[in-house]
Amino acid sequence: MEGALSPLPEAGGPLRGSRCADCAVAVHPADPSCPRCGGPAEPVVLSGTGTLWTWTVQHHAPKSPPYVQPAAGFESFAVGYVELPEGVRVLAVLDLRAEDLKIGMPVAVAAADGVPRARGVAV
């Protein structure tokens, strides 16, 4: 996407999305038009915390290319959807051990290179 909604997020910075000027639906990643009503959308900074909506563990390396396997080899990782207060569900790599993950747990989510990353937060 080109234009005002397309700046690359700063790793570790806030998630950026968009909100419809007509019906107020929020989305991530940002989109210049609303997926619900087709109206114009404006850029917004999304909440940095939410709840883990669902998760799984990726046990197999992605296809290559574009994936480039690290020198140490592929290591399994957790990935899930984080539901933000705006109603948006954001796909994120979960920087937590699988045995510590619980649906509904609070997590902090931030921009990263590629897919956002989430970590647990104290309650």
Side-chain angles (χ1 to χ4, degrees):
M1 183 172 64
E2 300 290 324
L5 296 179
S6 65
L8 293 174
E10 181 179 327
L15 290 179
R16 299 187 184 278
S18 59
R19 182 178 308 281
C20 178
D22 294 334
C23 72
V25 72
V27 298
H28 177 272
D31 197 313
S33 61
C34 177
R36 180 185 291 159
C37 73
E42 299 295 327
V44 294
V45 173
L46 299 170
S47 298
T49 58
T51 56
L52 186 58
W53 187 74
T54 194
W55 63 274
T56 190
V57 175
Q58 176 72 35
H59 291 289
H60 303 284
K63 290 179 112 179
S64 182
Y67 176 74
V68 178
Q69 186 161 315
F74 175 78
E75 291 187 28
S76 297
F77 61 93
V79 63
Y81 280 97
V82 177
E83 188 167 43
L84 302 178
E86 294 88 349
V88 178
R89 292 183 187 140
V90 176
L91 178 67
V93 172
L94 305 172
D95 292 328
L96 294 146
R97 298 178 318 168
E99 55 269 19
D100 295 333
L101 295 169
K102 293 180 179 47
I103 291 174
M105 71 183 287
V107 292
V109 64
D113 292 331
V115 177
R117 298 191 78 95
R119 60 181 171 71
V121 296
V123 284

